[in-house]
Amino acid sequence: MLASKTRRNRFRLGTLLLTLAALGASAAPPKRVLILDSFGRDVAPFSVGVSAFRTTLARQLGQPVDIYEVPLDLARFTDLGFEEPLVDFLEHRFAGSPVDLVVPVGAPAVRFTAEYRYQLLGETPIVYMGVDPRRMPPDALKTNATLVTQKIDLPGMIEDILQLRPDTTNIVVVIGSSPLEKFWGDECRREWQVFTNRVGFTMLENLSLAQIQARVGKLPPHSFIVSAMLIMDADRMPFDGYEGLDAIHAAANAPLFGYYRSHLGRGAIGGRLYQDSLVGTEAAKVAIRILRGERAADVPPVILGASPPTYDWRELIRWGISLNRLPAGGVIEFREPSLWELYRWHIVGVVAFCCLQTAMIVGLLVNRARRRADQAMTTLIADLSSRFINLPADQVDPEISSAQQRVCDALGLDVSSLWQWRPDNPIMHTLTHYYRPLGGPPVPQTMKGQDYFPWCQRRVLAGEIVAVSSLADFPAEADRDRETFSHYGLKTTLTIPLAVGGGPVFGSVNFNDMRRERRWSEALIQRLQLVAQIFANALARKVADQALRESEARLSLAADAAEIGLWSLNLATRLFWLTDKARALFKFTSGADLTLERFLGLVHPDDRASVHETIQAIVQSRAEGQMQYRAVWPDGRVRWMLSRGRVRCGVSGEPECLMGITVDVTERRQAEMEAQRNREEIAHLSRVAMLGELSGALAHELNQPLTAILSNAQAALRFLAGEDYDLDEVRDILKDIVADDRHAGEVIRRLRVLLKKGEFQLQPLDVNEVVQDVLNLVRTGLLNHGIGVQTDFATNLPPVKGDRVQLQQVLLNLIVNASDAMTGTVPADRQMTVRTAAADGYVRVSVADRGIGIAPEVLAQMFNSFFTTKANGLGLGLPISRSIISAHGGRLTGTNNPDGGATFEFVLPVDDERRT
Amino acid sequence: MNPTLPTVFIVDDEPAVLKSLSRLMRSARLAASTFSSPQEFLDRHDPQVPGCLILDMAMPGLDGLQLQQALIAKGSEIPIIFLTGRGDIPMSVRAMKRGAVDFLTKPVDDEDLLEAIRDAIEKDRVNRPAIAERNAIRQRLATLTPREREVLEHVLTGQLNKQIAGDLDIAEKTIKVHRGRVMEKMGVRSVAELVRLCQVAGIKPAPR
């Protein structure tokens, strides 16, 4: 042990570096940079940063750079005994070629480097890269070293998830089993503690990938998966690339959060991300400064922030997350083009098709006259041309295959293949049509063009025709292509790109010989180009047709599911086209055509005229409109229908058809009417309930005039029983009795009005009078509760338009509430103040009490139906009051007073008609 | 107002009721005086005038019960007949406990009311001399200094001057002087007389 250490010291890399520099060997040797990976060389996402580092360094240093990359694989081989041979290895590996800069990537490599730096590196500058600051060894930056990284924001991940899905209740964290991952698992637990009152966390640790897959496929609703890191699973199975992430994404039944920028596009939904590539780029910039002579110690550490919130459009769509949920400044990537965007060129191509074919046929006829030798081929092309016109989409594929065969037979060709790819992703090629009567080695259904014929592919994608008579004609850089062709026994090739209307190349058609070489004459190429064009147009039309069909099918499916009938009325023929659902809605089950007249026959006789008029009006306006009407089913049942239609005009600008939708709204209407009845019933009940509470007070109110009447009458009787009574006195008494009786009658009238199950009657009202009326009614009741009422009425209030009884009901409710709120108040403070005021087109009425005020949790709900704080309350007073005030175009609010108690206040719009 | 004639005082905030009740009094040949609020009665009432009070229970500001309490605090013992809109038993019990003569519900029959008034006036007439004497004694008691009052309460226990001096930790001679002053201020010559006055006024002997 001691011996080996001595040896190590003697061969220190740093020492060697100095020695070699002193020798001053050849001029300007390339800069040597040593990258130390924590894991294997290609372990994603770390490899993303390293790759960006390499590219940027090579491109921007401005002088040759020699980059060594040593994967330490410390994450998997964790026992320290493994490190010693590693140190030995590095010592020997770089003994003869000292490095100018060392870049350890990731926490394990950083720790290793910092620990052995004096042994291994001496003063060699170091750029620590991609290590969270909390994982930095304490003294690592003391000796000629700097740091480029991004701080890992663990709480930010959860915030991002809750931003997208606030109803998330279960966050499932997938994390691997290497020591590094275990560290982060513990950090997550610690830093996410604060969220545990909102969401539950499930840590999927120490599981194999298969177990993880099984778990993430059966998550309850409102789950979200966080794939923090998966370098090695519990079976000690390491994952180099994105296998872990891909597998989770494939199995998951919930959205997936991946923290690395490079996870975006691989199934991660997005958020504020770790910019792995940017860290590499920034580290390269720092490395360049150091390689150009700056001391590493003088370059301040670069700690990047998270990326702006960035999302994968496809994942958002997949999980139904509204784009409205994205934070301001959110960036959306991978947005898929709309059908039109995707197929624009195809569709344009189809339109161009007919013109092109006409021209083609004319051209070919000329050709025929000129070159009789090509008669057969020319006839074939003309035939193909006509066959492909108006060919239904589902017959395009068999027709192409048959055409390939006919062309090969006519020209003595051995093979014809047709490959297609997505114009926006020309990597994967799919073999869709193949004619190879002579057989040969199996051809994969899909292949990466760049792997098998990179040279040809480049040309074809650029829109060039590739004609190679003999494999020997392939240029030197086409070695791979030659190999592929030779493997399949092909001796020649003609490859023609497939595209329409100047759009992108979406495929190629190939013709080959297996038995001989062939000179591809210009004339032959031209002819086969025509064949290719016919194929391209047919394929494009098929795609466009499919897209249209799919979108129609989807719409129709959605409409059926929503119980919506679709229809279109041809205004010229007065015939309807209907979906089956539309027929079912009207119970129009006969297979007969539905004419406008027949349709009107299905409408309730009372609505027939107005339906007809509405249709005419919509057509005349050339806009859209809707109507509700009754339809009568054959069994006599009446259903309410809602139809909505829009006029479509022809090229001449004249209305051509009326198209739209129909829904059966019978249940909805019934529910609405039911609700209306319930509302009235409840309003009445609540009035009765309120009056029950007030009954004592009302009895007292009646008692006053009754007392006066009785005493007056008995006094009069006594006077009359005496000898010298004063008739004037008796007359006064009788007058008072009449007045008191009227007063009692008034009380009863008010009571009856309040109890009446009334309908809404709007009339101009003096608000002060309305308020005073209610106060008269409740004054005594309040006195019995020891509650005083102060009034503060504005003079000259403008009139409002309203229903007297309903407004009184609201006031009554507010006053009763105020009184209830003050039961616990000291008697001297049991005061309520009723104010009226005019304010800017409104009249304001407020009832303020000095009670207990409104508790915060009550404040939010007090206008909800059936919410009550009273033992015997119905919880309807305030909601009904609010709906009454709203019906008057006003607003009812309740707030706490700064000095205690609460104030309820409503505003009513001034009656403009009566305003002078 | 003739001070010797008993008067029916009526307090009610409802003018119509006030008016009809005062008419009823007049028809029964009773003098009536009306007040539209308890406060007004407190301000204007002369306790020297004999009679009774008809008091409405529910009124703004002070209510009937509170007025009753205020009158008791003032030393007025005018008999009260309560009128109320509703027969509230707990309320009537409280009122009666505090010495109300009657508790009637509105609307009230004239016979019931007039009978109650007659009872009340009679009660007032009987009470009045005793009340007058008690008030006179209390006025005299009010002139005693705190020390004299203390000595008085000890005298009522029947203690000798020497014992009182021991209890209060003052000279026997001084007790003698205080005792003389008390007898003089209370206008009595004998301890027996002093004890009677104190019984009337409700003064208790010092606890032992």
Side-chain angles (χ1 to χ4, degrees):
Chain A
M1 183 68 199
L2 196 69
S4 85
K5 202 154 196 169
T6 323
R7 181 166 55 87
R8 200 175 290 148
N9 282 337
R10 214 179 328 130
F11 290 102
R12 277 199 330 205
L13 225 65
T15 324
L16 280 165
L17 186 140
L18 289 172
T19 328
L20 286 173
L23 284 174
S26 58
K31 292 290 185 190
R32 292 172 189 278
V33 175
L34 170 61
I35 297 173
L36 296 173
D37 295 320
S38 288
F39 310 97
R41 214 187 116 128
D42 292 318
V43 173
F46 308 95
S47 56
V48 174
V50 171
S51 162
F53 176 84
R54 281 169 159 272
T55 318
T56 310
L57 187 63
R59 204 174 287 158
Q60 295 188 5
L61 181 60
Q63 69 181 93
V65 58
D66 197 351
I67 302 174
Y68 303 91
E69 189 169 343
V70 176
L72 300 178
D73 232 349
L74 289 165
R76 268 190 287 165
F77 302 98
T78 48
D79 64 76
L80 291 174
F82 165 70
E83 288 182 5
E84 207 165 299
L86 203 55
V87 173
D88 260 358
F89 160 75
L90 287 172
E91 241 177 341
H92 282 98
R93 174 68 181 77
F94 294 98
S97 45
V99 295
D100 299 299
L101 179 68
V102 179
V103 184
V105 182
V110 165
R111 188 204 44 79
F112 174 85
T113 312
E115 197 167 329
Y116 296 102
R117 97 158 279 158
Y118 289 107
Q119 254 161 279
L120 269 175
L121 303 167
E123 292 285 322
T124 310
I126 299 178
V127 177
Y128 293 111
M129 172 176 143
V131 54
D132 188 78
R134 71 195 97 175
R135 296 283 281 168
M136 275 298 282
D139 295 334
L141 290 178
K142 284 204 174 144
T143 315
N144 204 22
T146 189
L147 167 70
V148 180
T149 191
Q150 174 174 329
K151 190 174 183 326
I152 289 177
D153 178 9
L154 295 175
M157 300 183 194
I158 306 304
E159 285 161 12
D160 284 356
I161 286 171
L162 294 177
Q163 165 93 33
L164 291 181
R165 278 227 168 144
D167 59 349
T168 301
T169 52
N170 179 30
I171 292 185
V172 178
V173 186
V174 176
I175 196 150
S177 302
S178 72
L180 178 73
E181 290 163 296
K182 286 189 165 145
F183 167 82
W184 284 111
D186 292 340
E187 285 295 290
C188 290
R189 260 189 285 271
R190 200 168 55 75
E191 293 203 14
W192 291 343
Q193 191 64 41
V194 292
F195 295 99
T196 47
N197 58 351
R198 250 189 96 174
V199 283
F201 289 95
T202 312
M203 304 295 281
L204 296 189
E205 295 167 298
N206 303 319
L207 297 177
S208 70
L209 184 59
Q211 288 169 318
I212 294 171
Q213 274 188 297
R215 292 282 294 273
V216 297
K218 286 185 297 208
L219 297 177
H222 306 295
S223 293
F224 220 110
I225 304 165
V226 176
S227 173
M229 215 181 251
L230 193 56
I231 298 165
M232 187 172 77
D233 74 3
D235 291 347
R236 303 191 68 77
M237 176 67 197
F239 303 109
D240 283 350
Y242 295 98
E243 305 99 303
L245 187 75
D246 291 347
I248 293 166
H249 181 238
N253 69 344
L256 175 63
F257 183 91
Y259 189 47
Y260 291 90
R261 185 68 177 76
S262 56
H263 285 169
L264 203 67
R266 305 202 69 102
I269 201 144
R272 292 168 294 168
L273 305 175
Y274 186 92
Q275 316 192 73
D276 34 15
S277 175
L278 188 63
V279 167
T281 313
E282 291 302 312
K285 288 181 186 163
V286 168
I288 289 167
R289 287 170 64 180
I290 294 165
L291 291 174
R292 285 182 182 159
E294 271 186 71
R295 273 177 51 78
D298 297 340
V299 182
V302 178
I303 297 178
L304 299 171
S307 74
T310 311
Y311 302 91
D312 186 333
W313 187 83
R314 298 164 301 182
E315 293 300 313
L316 294 174
I317 298 301
R318 176 177 174 196
W319 300 109
I321 292 166
S322 159
L323 302 188
N324 298 335
R325 291 242 43 95
L326 305 191
V331 181
I332 300 174
E333 296 193 353
F334 306 104
R335 192 192 280 274
E336 274 174 8
S338 68
L339 280 180
W340 167 246
E341 282 169 330
L342 255 182
Y343 297 113
R344 185 172 36 185
W345 292 111
H346 299 93
I347 293 163
V348 170
V350 169
V351 175
F353 180 60
C354 295
C355 311
L356 184 83
Q357 280 192 330
T358 315
M360 226 157 56
I361 293 164
V362 172
L364 289 169
L365 291 176
V366 173
N367 244 7
R368 184 166 70 168
R370 223 169 40 205
R371 298 185 183 189
R372 292 191 167 272
D374 291 335
Q375 180 82 40
M377 185 61 199
T378 311
T379 316
L380 174 58
I381 291 177
D383 182 47
L384 290 181
S385 253
S386 61
R387 273 177 165 280
F388 276 89
I389 288 180
N390 296 330
L391 188 65
D394 56 347
Q395 288 171 37
V396 165
D397 287 330
E399 198 62 43
I400 287 179
S401 297
S402 131
Q404 275 178 308
Q405 184 178 350
R406 289 174 67 191
V407 170
C408 286
D409 292 351
L411 296 174
L413 286 158
D414 297 335
V415 180
S416 173
S417 59
L418 194 153
W419 298 82
Q420 291 185 69
W421 52 81
R422 280 174 50 160
D424 59 336
N425 180 24
I427 311 268
M428 288 309 292
H429 295 190
T430 306
L431 180 62
T432 56
H433 304 81
Y434 200 28
Y435 177 67
R436 187 172 63 163
L438 302 178
V443 182
Q445 205 57 36
T446 59
M447 59 164 72
K448 279 187 177 172
Q450 67 202 37
D451 292 349
Y452 292 92
F453 24 77
W455 183 79
C456 284
Q457 188 200 327
R458 267 201 304 282
R459 268 153 192 74
V460 167
L461 285 178
E464 290 173 28
I465 294 171
V466 181
V468 179
S469 300
S470 151
L471 295 192
D473 291 351
F474 273 116
E477 69 259 39
D479 278 352
R480 180 77 189 104
D481 301 58
R482 186 187 300 118
E483 211 176 290
T484 305
F485 281 101
S486 155
H487 170 75
Y488 288 108
L490 305 176
K491 290 201 161 67
T492 64
T493 182
L494 174 69
T495 305
I496 304 170
L498 296 177
V500 287
V505 177
F506 64 86
S508 67
V509 61
N510 307 271
F511 298 101
N512 313 88
D513 287 297
M514 297 176 78
R515 293 168 295 190
R516 60 173 181 275
E517 294 174 349
R518 179 189 290 257
R519 200 182 74 79
W520 298 99
S521 74
E522 199 56 36
L524 184 58
I525 292 176
Q526 272 180 15
R527 230 150 266 143
L528 290 173
Q529 213 181 333
L530 286 173
V531 172
Q533 196 59 54
I534 291 171
F535 290 176
N537 287 333
L539 288 169
R541 191 156 52 98
K542 183 185 136 196
V543 169
D545 195 78
Q546 268 174 353
L548 197 63
R549 252 167 229 266
E550 270 171 32
S551 104
E552 260 177 19
R554 229 174 287 153
L555 176 64
S556 170
L557 202 67
D560 280 1
E563 299 283 315
I564 295 172
L566 306 179
W567 48 262
S568 170
L569 171 63
N570 185 322
L571 297 173
T573 62
R574 294 168 80 81
L575 269 177
F576 275 100
W577 165 87
L578 298 154
T579 59
D580 290 346
K581 176 57 73 180
R583 282 177 188 272
L585 286 179
F586 289 95
K587 290 261 187 292
F588 183 72
T589 41
S590 88
D593 285 344
L594 183 63
T595 60
L596 180 57
E597 285 65 33
R598 215 170 264 163
F599 164 71
L600 289 172
L602 302 172
V603 174
H604 192 281
D606 292 353
D607 295 347
R608 214 166 276 161
S610 75
V611 165
H612 199 186
E613 278 163 26
T614 309
I615 293 176
Q616 283 171 331
I618 295 173
V619 171
Q620 265 161 23
S621 72
R622 298 181 186 190
E624 53 181 62
Q626 70 175 38
M627 55 184 173
Q628 282 199 33
Y629 55 93
R630 285 162 290 175
V632 183
W633 280 353
D635 62 5
R637 273 191 286 168
V638 174
R639 306 292 294 179
W640 278 94
M641 298 289 168
L642 170 70
S643 290
R644 187 171 175 78
R646 178 188 295 168
V647 174
R648 212 174 61 186
C649 293
V651 274
S652 64
E654 280 306 297
E656 208 172 63
C657 73
L658 177 65
M659 52 197 296
I661 59 153
T662 295
V663 199
D664 185 328
V665 292
T666 312
E667 275 75 24
R668 199 167 84 192
R669 275 186 74 100
Q670 276 168 354
E672 275 167 10
M673 282 157 68
E674 187 77 4
Q676 175 65 27
R677 265 202 300 277
N678 284 346
R679 252 197 314 276
E680 281 167 12
E681 194 63 31
I682 287 169
H684 172 66
L685 273 178
S686 85
R687 277 203 295 271
V688 172
M690 247 185 307
L691 282 158
E693 291 173 38
L694 282 166
S695 62
L698 290 166
H700 200 117
E701 189 67 18
L702 274 177
N703 257 336
Q704 298 291 18
L706 289 178
T707 305
I709 290 167
L710 182 62
S711 297
N712 271 323
Q714 288 177 334
L717 284 172
R718 285 174 173 278
F719 283 132
L720 290 174
E723 280 153 19
D724 49 345
Y725 55 84
D726 181 351
L727 256 185
D728 285 343
E729 168 108 59
V730 176
R731 190 173 294 117
D732 282 348
I733 290 177
L734 291 176
K735 274 185 192 163
D736 279 355
I737 289 176
V738 171
D740 288 337
D741 198 272
R742 288 215 171 109
H743 178 58
E746 178 68 13
V747 170
I748 291 173
R749 188 192 59 79
R750 283 202 300 255
L751 192 69
R752 188 179 295 138
V753 162
L754 259 179
L755 279 167
K756 202 172 70 180
K757 230 171 163 177
E759 285 182 5
F760 207 59
Q761 273 184 344
L762 289 178
Q763 55 187 44
L765 296 173
D766 175 354
V767 171
N768 283 345
E769 196 185 296
V770 175
V771 177
Q772 191 57 58
D773 259 10
V774 176
L775 289 178
N776 288 343
L777 206 56
V778 297
R779 196 181 53 98
T780 323
L782 294 173
L783 288 175
N784 282 338
H785 287 97
I787 291 165
V789 180
Q790 290 176 359
T791 53
D792 179 5
F793 288 173
T795 49
N796 299 326
L797 272 187
V800 300
K801 205 170 204 171
D803 183 293
R804 175 185 295 269
V805 178
Q806 293 203 343
L807 292 180
Q808 287 183 341
Q809 188 190 341
V810 171
L811 277 160
L812 199 59
N813 181 239
L814 298 185
I815 290 168
V816 168
N817 284 352
S819 138
D820 288 349
M822 292 196 285
T823 6
T825 308
V826 288
D829 269 355
R830 284 188 203 160
Q831 287 289 326
M832 73 172 82
T833 308
V834 183
R835 279 194 189 86
T836 62
D840 200 22
Y842 283 90
V843 171
R844 182 190 309 277
V845 181
S846 65
V847 178
D849 65 54
R850 298 193 196 164
I852 46 172
I854 314 162
E857 68 274 13
V858 174
L859 207 52
Q861 313 181 58
M862 61 188 178
F863 289 107
N864 295 349
S865 289
F866 305 112
F867 176 83
T868 183
T869 57
K870 302 178 187 178
N872 300 313
L874 284 177
L876 288 170
L878 282 177
I880 287 172
S881 296
R882 176 170 266 193
S883 66
I884 289 173
I885 297 298
S886 299
H888 281 79
R891 212 177 58 248
L892 170 65
T893 52
T895 48
N896 283 314
N897 303 328
D899 53 348
T903 298
F904 280 82
E905 145 181 321
F906 60 84
V907 292
L908 297 169
V910 166
D911 177 14
D912 285 324
E913 292 161 35
R914 294 306 200 105
R915 207 176 186 181
T916 46
Chain B
M1 194 184 297
N2 186 343
T4 56
L5 212 67
T7 303
V8 180
F9 301 96
I10 310 170
V11 181
D12 198 310
D13 64 321
E14 179 64 45
V17 174
L18 213 50
K19 197 171 168 190
S20 66
L21 288 178
S22 81
R23 269 194 191 119
L24 190 63
M25 296 308 115
R26 205 137 29 89
S27 73
R29 302 187 185 281
L30 286 164
S33 181
T34 58
F35 305 84
S36 61
S37 77
Q39 195 56 50
E40 193 191 337
F41 179 74
L42 276 178
D43 295 346
R44 275 176 41 202
H45 173 58
D46 176 4
Q48 301 302 319
V49 182
C52 70
L53 174 60
I54 299 176
L55 186 52
D56 186 35
M57 204 57 137
M59 278 177 291
L62 289 174
D63 68 14
L65 285 174
Q66 287 168 317
L67 177 60
Q68 182 186 30
Q69 210 158 17
L71 289 171
I72 291 169
K74 270 179 71 173
S76 165
E77 291 184 32
I78 184 164
I80 300 175
I81 298 158
F82 276 103
L83 284 186
T84 174
R86 47 180 182 186
D88 182 331
I89 291 176
M91 217 192 275
S92 61
V93 168
R94 260 195 293 165
M96 300 301 277
K97 269 189 170 171
R98 290 189 198 147
V101 261
D102 221 329
F103 196 93
L104 302 172
T105 46
K106 284 181 178 177
V108 61
D109 196 73
D110 56 349
E111 287 301 336
D112 296 345
L113 182 60
L114 292 172
E115 196 188 322
I117 289 171
R118 273 192 288 273
D119 289 353
I121 288 175
E122 178 58 18
K123 188 178 175 195
D124 185 54
R125 195 188 62 77
V126 173
N127 283 352
R128 204 153 271 280
I131 295 163
E133 190 195 8
R134 189 154 65 230
N135 284 344
I137 297 166
R138 283 192 183 145
Q139 271 166 17
R140 274 180 252 165
L141 277 168
T143 63
L144 300 185
T145 65
R147 180 59 93 184
E148 286 165 358
R149 174 77 184 234
E150 207 170 16
V151 171
L152 165 64
E153 285 170 14
H154 278 84
V155 170
L156 292 182
T157 64
Q159 282 177 309
L160 298 174
N161 284 354
K162 196 172 174 181
Q163 288 168 308
I164 298 172
D167 279 2
L168 297 180
D169 200 16
I170 29 180
E172 193 184 340
K173 211 165 76 181
T174 319
I175 295 293
K176 224 172 160 181
V177 174
H178 282 312
R179 192 171 175 152
R181 289 248 180 80
V182 169
M183 302 289 274
E184 189 186 336
K185 281 184 177 175
M186 295 301 291
V188 291
R189 300 236 175 106
S190 67
V191 174
E193 210 174 339
L194 183 66
V195 169
R196 191 193 72 83
L197 290 191
C198 286
Q199 262 172 354
V200 170
I203 303 291
K204 299 248 156 52
R208 302 190 79 169

